[in-house]
Amino acid sequence: MKQWWSGLQASERRILILGAVALGLILPYFAIWSPIQDDIEVLQQQVQEQQAVKRWMNQASAEVKQLGGGSVAVQPRDGRSLLAVVDQTAKRSGLGPGLKRLEPEGQAAVKVWLEQVSFDDMLRWLSSMEQKNGLAVATITIDRQDVAGRVNARLTLEMAGA
């Protein structure tokens, strides 16, 4: 390489040095700066779009509140809370001793854990819940037990149409 360099005339060496300096200045611009600027422009456009969506959502939220559509807890037909309805009806249906846990699932659903309950009683209770209180089974898992006709169940009841 040294031989090749020393074999060049002084003007050729100057042209190569100037070319290397120019390449050293131009290459970072096209390899680094220009792509970063392009990404910044894309991100700025996305921010503007998201701000427009936020403005629209704020307007829609204000309209919903104005129309009286604020967050209202969903209640069964008789006006009691979902937890109260589930607890009281389960006890009246003979499932009280097997009712191990109730947990709200949002405003329109309740998770229920039943242990060692009569399968037939549970089905009658669920049918009654739907017909009288507007609560339907959203999910259910039933495990058979050693005693005939007895089950463990985990289920989610939710307001019909919720």
Side-chain angles (χ1 to χ4, degrees):
M1 183 85 166
K2 276 186 174 182
Q3 273 184 338
W4 173 78
W5 184 258
S6 59
L8 294 175
Q9 293 180 7
S11 62
E12 291 174 331
R13 280 188 232 145
R14 263 185 263 139
I15 290 173
L16 285 176
I17 290 172
L18 288 175
V21 168
L23 185 63
L25 295 173
I26 293 172
L27 188 63
Y29 174 80
F30 286 108
I32 298 170
W33 187 257
S34 183
I36 288 175
Q37 287 301 107
D38 292 343
D39 290 345
I40 288 172
E41 288 176 18
V42 168
L43 291 173
Q44 287 174 337
Q45 179 65 30
Q46 289 176 349
V47 166
Q48 289 174 354
E49 291 170 1
Q50 292 299 319
Q51 287 173 338
V53 169
K54 181 183 175 206
R55 280 190 300 276
W56 176 83
M57 290 178 85
N58 286 337
Q59 285 177 331
S61 172
E63 288 177 24
V64 167
K65 287 178 183 174
Q66 186 179 19
L67 294 173
S71 65
V72 176
V74 177
Q75 294 183 330
R77 293 178 187 147
D78 63 4
R80 294 179 291 166
S81 75
L82 292 177
L83 291 174
V85 169
V86 171
D87 183 56
Q88 292 169 2
T89 58
K91 288 177 181 173
R92 271 189 260 133
S93 298
L95 301 174
L99 184 62
K100 297 301 176 188
R101 185 171 168 193
L102 291 175
E103 183 178 294
E105 181 78 11
Q107 293 183 351
V110 176
K111 284 188 175 184
V112 182
W113 284 262
L114 298 168
E115 292 181 6
Q116 295 292 327
V117 295
S118 164
F119 180 74
D120 294 337
D121 289 346
M122 182 182 72
L123 289 183
R124 280 190 284 279
W125 173 65
L126 291 174
S127 175
S128 169
M129 292 294 288
E130 185 168 8
Q131 292 171 2
K132 294 180 182 175
N133 298 295
L135 289 169
V137 176
T139 63
I140 189 166
T141 303
I142 300 173
D143 298 321
R144 181 178 58 180
Q145 298 302 297
D146 294 333
V147 178
R150 294 283 175 179
V151 295
N152 288 350
R154 290 174 307 283
L155 52 118
T156 303
L157 297 172
E158 65 181 25
M159 292 300 298

